[in-house]
């Protein structure tokens, strides 16, 4: 069965609030949130949906680069390929768009990979969690992202999150070590569940060592991406010298990256972000490696809308990940493109039973939010 048609839908989804990391604003109401949806069809008329979430202050991929890379390079080589050969699609995509330090343009590639997995699920009439080897639909707990820059602001955000049924928190740090420690102290004092912090590469090694020590005293559960993405020897030194689990996000875009980090002993925690990995196939291989290596897994995302959020949750549920996942699309998005809402109650998402991702995309919503590129 061959891939017969692929359509692209670049959109800007309504965004609520303001989302900043140590690298600047990554989401605001004025600009909306850029996404690229992909509709992939096979010869029998089965349809699969994919989603790319470029965030140009998080990595180098932009709304425009995802669209032109898919349109001019990746879609032409995907058309006509066997739908049951995700590995072959990845080999072809990685040959066409070469690596930089690591996998090249993983977010664009993830859109096709997710669409192909949804399509396979429809062709086989099974949900993705079953395709990944899980025997029944599971649930995934989501965390709330704290972005305030004052202890009072953190307390207000937690009060708002509790009203919405959240119990666990990932927080953004990396701007100023002493201020960040005060923010974490406020969060840890007020929150009932798990709290971990993500510096998005904002610290030097001496700063990260000092912040890690404070995290251990406060009871912060994990330290995500403390250092810039390519400082792997510094990650190894940090992991050797601190007790709080250090995880890398921006640094890890391929299976080879995870193996190298394991060899260096540089990341005692696997931050699983499906789109950063290039999609579900490479992410799944890393989940197997993490499982066999005894590496804990932390689910993460890029303010995903329903398609890529569900792709992540099918994988997390199939592998029984119990840590809450930092998939904050439901927190920040004021609109999605699904025909029916996610099965989300408080902070708990229940996976659908239908084939593939288990949801349908409303193409009228895609037209409503569409931008021309
Ligand atoms: Mg992160």
């Amino acid at each position: 069965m061959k891939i017969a048609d692929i359509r692209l839908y670049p959109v800007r989804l309504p965004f609520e609030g303001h989302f900043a990391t140590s690298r600047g604003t990554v989401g605001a109401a004025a600009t909306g949130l850029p996404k690229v949806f992909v509709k992939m069809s096979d010869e029998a008329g089965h349809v699969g949906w994919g989603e790319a979430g470029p965030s140009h202050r998080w990595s180098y991929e932009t709304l425009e680069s995802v669209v032109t890379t898919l349109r001019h390079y990746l879609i032409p080589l995907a058309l006509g390929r066997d739908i049951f050969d995700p590995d072959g699609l990845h080999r072809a995509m990685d040959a066409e768009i070469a690596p930089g330090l690591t996998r090249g343009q993983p977010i664009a590639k993830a859109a096709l990979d997710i669409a192909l997995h949804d399509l396979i699920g429809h062709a086989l009439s099974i949900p993705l969690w079953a395709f990944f080897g899980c025997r029944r639909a599971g649930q995934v707990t989501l965390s709330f992202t704290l972005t305030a820059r004052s202890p009072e602001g953190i307390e207000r955000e937690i009060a708002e999150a509790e009203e919405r049924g959240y119990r666990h928190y990932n927080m953004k740090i990396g701007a100023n070590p002493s201020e960040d420690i005060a923010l974490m102290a406020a969060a840890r004092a007020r929150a009932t569940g798990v709290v971990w912090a993500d510096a998005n590469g904002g610290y030097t090694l001496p700063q990260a060592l000092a912040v890690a020590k404070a995290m251990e005293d406060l009871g912060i559960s994990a330290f995500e991406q403390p250092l810039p993405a390519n400082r792997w020897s510094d990650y190894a030194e940090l992991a050797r010298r601190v007790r709080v689990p250090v995880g890398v996000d921006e640094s890890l875009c391929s299976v080879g990256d995870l193996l190298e980090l394991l060899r260096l002993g540089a990341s005692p925690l696997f931050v699983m972000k499906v789109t950063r990995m290039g999609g579900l196939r490479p992410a799944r291989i890393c989940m197997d490696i993490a499982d066999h290596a005894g590496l804990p897994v932390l689910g993460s995302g890029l303010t995903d809308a329903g398609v890529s959020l569900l792709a992540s949750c099918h994988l997390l549920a199939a592998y029984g990940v119990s840590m809450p996942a930092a998939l904050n699309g439901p927190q920040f998005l004021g609109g999605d493109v699904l025909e029916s809402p996610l099965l989300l109650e408080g902070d708990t998402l229940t996976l659908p039973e239908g084939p593939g991702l288990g949801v349908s995309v409303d193409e009228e919503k895609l037209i409503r939010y569409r931008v021309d590129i």
Side-chain angles (χ1 to χ4, degrees), residues 262-300:
L262 281 169
R263 278 189 207 107
L264 290 168
S267 179
L269 180 71
F270 171 43
V271 181
M272 201 286 287
K273 186 172 267 175
V274 164
T275 55
R276 182 206 65 217
M277 298 298 308
L280 285 162
R281 180 61 187 143
R284 186 182 176 195
I285 296 171
C286 287
M287 291 295 283
D288 281 327
I289 292 170
D291 189 25
H292 288 284
L295 210 57
V297 175
L298 194 54
S300 178

Side-chain angles (χ1 to χ4, degrees), residues 10-34:
V11 301
R12 286 188 180 273
L13 295 178
F15 193 87
E16 292 178 343
H18 183 262
F19 183 8
T21 74
S22 63
R23 296 193 45 80
T25 299
V26 293
T31 51
L33 200 66

Side-chain angles (χ1 to χ4, degrees), residues 26 29 32 34 43 46 48 53 115 121-122 127 180 203 211 220 223-224 230-231 252 262 265 267 289 333 335 367 369:
V26 293
E43 297 162 308
H46 302 112
H122 280 91
D180 292 339
Y203 294 140
V211 171
I220 300 297
F223 194 0
E224 184 177 332
N230 59 358
R231 306 286 165 80
L252 203 175
L262 281 169
S267 179
I289 292 170
L333 286 174
I367 291 164
Y369 300 130

